[in-house]
Amino acid sequence: MIRFTYRHTHCYLLQGSDREKLLAFDAGWPCSPLEYARGVKEAGHRFDRIKWAIVSHFHLDHAGLVRDFQDAGIQCLLFENQGDGIDGMERLIARSYKDYRPIVKDRFISLRTGESRAFLSTIGIAGEVIRTPGHSDDSVSLVTDAGEALIGDLYPLPQVVDDDEASLGSWSAIRELGARHIFPGHAAPFELA
Ligand SMILES: [Zn+2]
């Protein structure tokens, strides 16, 4: 698991069986491609080695660079619960980022989460993507067979209130897949008891 942080968002990179090819999990802030690329470099890798990207959800600190990724030829995946968050995110971005260019929606690779294990295996990553609503309806988490879970902004378990059934269900699903090492989008990694 390769991790770097800028502007308080953790960005993750996973190596496939071809170790020169990387899958990005989360795609930074709008209009910050150079900062993102600097983070990749400081983590010992190269931006042009990123071939695929998954975003945990469409909030501007996690999916702001999707268009830049698309323009760089990175295959960006879109899961069945994710399309609806894009327009709202972009309306918000447009207010503060004058140079922002919108995502090209038909350039996404649409995938169902149920197909994610098969897709990931084709690039040499053992694991799957599951829907983990709670923070947002379009949230997904990537859980590897090594017991690592990238959860985006899913609230850490101690902070989930009793009647937040969506978040509690998401944590059950993560646990069922055997995840032990949890990597949030903003907080420090922690172990699942
Ligand atoms: Zn968020």
Side-chain angles (χ1 to χ4, degrees), residues 132-152:
T132 48
H135 172 72
S136 70
D137 288 341
D138 68 347
S139 287
V140 300
S141 297
L142 194 164
V143 184
T144 71
D145 292 355
E148 301 157 320
L150 307 180
I151 62 166

Side-chain angles (χ1 to χ4, degrees), residues 58-60 83-95 105 138:
F58 283 86
H59 283 172
L60 80 170
D84 292 346
I86 297 174
D87 290 345
M89 176 189 81
E90 294 197 320
R91 275 196 297 276
L92 206 64
I93 291 174
R95 287 191 212 156
K105 290 179 183 167
D138 68 347

Side-chain angles (χ1 to χ4, degrees), residues 57 59 61-62 135 153:
H57 63 300
H59 283 172
D61 51 341
H62 295 264
H135 172 72
D153 283 353

Side-chain angles (χ1 to χ4, degrees), residues 130-135 139 141 143 154-155 157 160-177 192:
I130 57 171
R131 295 165 63 155
T132 48
H135 172 72
S139 287
S141 297
V143 184
L154 179 65
Y155 308 118
L157 205 43
V160 177
V161 292
D162 288 345
D163 63 354
D164 183 354
E165 286 172 22
S167 295
L168 290 171
S170 294
W171 277 110
S172 300
I174 288 169
R175 219 185 262 285
E176 262 170 44
L177 286 174
L192 198 57

